[in-house]
Amino acid sequence: MFRRILIANRGEIAQRVIRACRELGIETVAVYSTADADAIYLRQADETICIGPAASAKSYLDIPSIIAAAEVADADAIHPGYGFLSENEHFAEVCRSCKITFIGPEPETIAKLGDKVAARALAHAAGVPIVPGSDGPVEDETKAIAVAAKIGYPIMIKAAAGGGGRGMRIARNEPSLVTGFHAASSEAKAAFGDGTVYLEKFVENPRHIEVQIMADKHGKIVHLGERDCSIQRRHQKLIEESPSPALTPELRERICKSAVAVAKHANYQNAGTVEFLLGRDGNYYFIEVNARIQVEHCVTELVTGLDLVQLQIRMAAGEKLPFDQSDVRFNGHAIECRINAEDPDRDFQPSPGKIDLFVPPGGPGVRLDSHAYSGYRIPPNYDSMIGKLLAHRARRDLAVRTMVRALDEFIIQGPKTTIPLLRNVLNHSDFRAGDHDTGFIERYYGSHPGIPMGRKDNA
Amino acid sequence: MDLKLIQRLIAMMNRGGLAEIDLEDSNAGIKLRLKRESAAPPPQAPLVHLLSGGHALGGPMMHQAQAGVPAAHGSDALAKKELIGTPIPSPMVGTFYRSASPESEVFVAVGKRVTTDSVLCIIEAMKVMNEIKSEVSGEILEILVENGEPVEYGQPLFLVKTS
């Protein structure tokens, strides 16, 4: 087992990893930038090292600084958390050559799964459905028409060199495909210098279903159930839950089996998540693998009773997975709300600054993972998430009720937060019915996020 | 008594704002008190008072402890230093070396005049030896870190009397 782990991250996940280490009797080294000198979890670390100024590029993303810190502090493993260097295969490779264990998958696995085209091909080879597409560039409109006819409308025309939603167009029939094809191509040429486009089936208002994977270094891989992360705003998750209200037991089993098949095909090690889109017609399609621990891992921890971060550490240390798939039990229903310091009335502009009063909720069925406290100054340099609030009860409706109670109790004075929006969503009839998809936020809060639930104003 | 332990205790004291720690090593028959003197400015760092101890300790032990302790972590100690010198902070985390190699001369010693072109030390990170240049011109008043010691970003390395 490791003697000392360096946590190459910050905020609530740094706190999470330190907690896991303390319970395992492992020493911790916390690195921090000058902007995080007042972080509360630094007090629990055995050693703290300032590694750079506020800018992430010069601190949390600076590989030589992180490795230097690990070396001077004599750490034998590094936990990368999520974000930052957690899916950087170069960093994982450097750790390996410095004889420091990277707590996560192998560098080669991270590289392969990080390439979305390669990942799709891998899923396909594993016999898992992928979003049907042209599987390569489409050179002219004749080819586009042929491919579209084969896949079926609606079609998404995507720029090969694009990203972030740019250079994308939806076509619902052949005429709009033709005009869309040319428009997307010239837009891409202008924006990215490369007019190459490819086609994908457009899955209309899908649900986002992801499966938690855990694997040891000896070839054993299990799934720990799914999470439904359909409540998103501009592809950022706001609310996650498990189990998904959209899955029948049969569909659940198929999706989870597909996830394990992908992981097996990739010789996956440690923790990871396989993501799918679920269409209204009940078809599901692989989209990608997140080769790291995720923000919403706590949801799975609550329903399975497992400590995923401790498992990560133990698997990375070479231990065998101490249970079989048939041993995994799922209890009750868990929901997570991400608490962000953002102003929903100003298009979710970040709202950093001093928290004058922080009074967290509590009581039965409530879990809060947060590094914030009264008097804490939220630095403006990093993401705006200040905590994750979870509710776990025997049934979904009870979990929702507990979550609403917890959000009502939660006092955060100073910065603006997304708590009012989250309450609105939880009280919305569609969400209560479990009949929501990734279009939910845009549909009800797209133009006027401040409007209370139930009113679909389009003014 | 482990010197590294004493250094870590002193860092802990400064971080936690503690004024005094009493240590006892019954095996070696040593008792030690680490005390922050807030009134009089400490020569380098919190003073290490030897309360009682075996013959083997005595002066050299205390001397060693005092000399070896980086004043760096103590903002208390540093506040006093501001009166007599400009601190040169470390621009990176790594290991501090006073010379380019174990056989070479040290880059600077107390009393040496430096300019903004002068190399003061090496900080090694991931096997890369980074030459650290002075940010100011003046005279080296004090060297705050021992050769081979780890340093963090922003940790004061030298005190310079600017001119």
Side-chain angles (χ1 to χ4, degrees), chain A residues 367-394:
Chain A
R367 167 177 168 175
L368 177 67
D369 280 28
S370 169
H371 60 293
Y373 54 90
S374 282
Y376 175 61
R377 283 192 183 278
I378 305 169
N381 322 79
Y382 313 110
D383 69 73
S384 54
M385 193 174 75
I386 55 175
K388 293 149 24 182
L389 179 61
L390 295 112
H392 180 222
R393 289 296 207 177

Side-chain angles (χ1 to χ4, degrees), chain A residues 55-56 83 85 143 145 207 220 282 295 314 326 330 353 357 403 408 421 423:
Chain A
S56 300
L85 296 170
K143 174 118 187 257
I145 293 170
R207 298 189 77 123
K220 191 163 171 193
V295 172
R314 292 168 61 191
S326 51
F330 301 97
L357 184 63
M403 179 60 82
D408 282 344
L421 170 68
R423 281 178 72 258

Side-chain angles (χ1 to χ4, degrees), chain A residues 4 32 34 47-53 63-65 67-69 71-72 94, chain B residues 4 8 15 73 91-95 124-127 149-154:
Chain A
R4 217 166 217 240
Y32 63 97
T34 51
E47 203 160 317
T48 63
I49 299 180
C50 183
I51 53 166
I63 295 178
S65 291
I67 299 289
E71 288 178 341
V72 304
V94 169
Chain B
K4 210 154 182 205
R8 282 172 74 170
R15 227 178 15 243
H73 290 285
M92 61 198 309
V93 53
T95 307
E124 180 254 319
M126 254 180 81
K127 308 287 181 279
E149 257 194 71
V151 292
E152 39 178 21
Y153 174 85

Side-chain angles (χ1 to χ4, degrees), chain A residues 111-281:
Chain A
K112 184 134 197 213
L113 297 172
D115 173 351
K116 298 216 170 173
V117 176
R120 271 172 57 92
L122 187 145
H124 186 63
V128 169
I130 54 176
V131 182
S134 59
D135 290 323
V138 173
E139 299 84 14
D140 54 52
E141 63 175 66
T142 317
K143 174 118 187 257
I145 293 170
V147 169
K150 211 172 90 178
I151 302 175
Y153 290 90
I155 292 282
M156 178 94 87
I157 308 161
K158 287 172 134 169
R166 294 171 71 194
M168 283 177 19
R169 265 190 166 54
I170 300 172
R172 297 183 184 279
N173 48 53
E174 200 174 286
S176 57
L177 176 76
V178 173
T179 47
F181 175 81
H182 293 290
S185 189
S186 28
E187 211 175 86
K189 183 82 200 238
F192 316 113
D194 178 1
T196 314
V197 297
Y198 64 102
L199 305 187
E200 243 181 35
K201 183 179 183 67
F202 178 63
V203 185
E204 200 93 64
N205 287 326
R207 298 189 77 123
H208 175 113
I209 308 287
E210 58 187 39
V211 178
Q212 179 69 52
I213 293 289
M214 184 63 71
D216 60 22
K217 285 183 167 170
H218 310 278
K220 191 163 171 193
I221 302 178
V222 299
H223 74 78
L224 300 176
E226 87 282 3
R227 292 183 292 260
D228 187 318
C229 310
S230 303
I231 303 293
Q232 304 177 1
R233 188 195 151 260
R234 295 193 191 163
H235 305 287
Q236 298 292 301
K237 297 167 185 170
L238 300 184
I239 299 177
E240 305 101 345
E241 63 179 310
S242 183
S244 168
L247 299 182
T248 59
E250 182 265 342
L251 192 47
R252 174 171 293 112
E253 190 169 332
R254 280 169 51 214
I255 293 184
C256 289
K257 275 209 161 92
S258 289
V260 173
V262 171
K264 280 208 154 91
H265 219 79
N267 293 319
Y268 201 81
Q269 290 179 8
N270 213 273
T273 298
V274 186
E275 294 191 335
F276 301 90
L277 294 181
L278 176 69
R280 287 251 162 213
D281 55 4

Side-chain angles (χ1 to χ4, degrees), chain B residues 90-107:
Chain B
S90 176
M92 61 198 309
V93 53
T95 307
F96 172 88
Y97 293 111
R98 290 197 53 197
S99 54
S101 70
E103 302 84 33
S104 341
E105 290 272 313
V106 297
F107 287 109

Side-chain angles (χ1 to χ4, degrees), chain A residues 387-456:
Chain A
K388 293 149 24 182
L389 179 61
L390 295 112
H392 180 222
R393 289 296 207 177
R395 286 191 334 246
R396 187 174 191 267
D397 58 325
L398 300 175
V400 171
R401 193 173 69 177
T402 295
M403 179 60 82
V404 171
R405 191 231 340 128
L407 287 170
D408 282 344
E409 277 175 23
F410 210 161
I411 298 176
I412 303 180
Q413 277 174 16
K416 294 273 188 275
T417 71
T418 49
I419 289 177
L421 170 68
L422 294 163
R423 281 178 72 258
N424 281 353
V425 174
L426 288 162
N427 285 322
H428 197 290
S429 48
D430 280 6
F431 182 82
R432 294 235 161 180
D435 186 29
H436 55 283
D437 53 59
T438 51
F440 178 91
I441 292 288
E442 179 59 39
R443 201 178 302 134
Y444 296 121
Y445 303 99
S447 33
H448 298 275
I451 289 181
M453 74 95 179
R455 292 205 338 234
K456 280 194 288 172

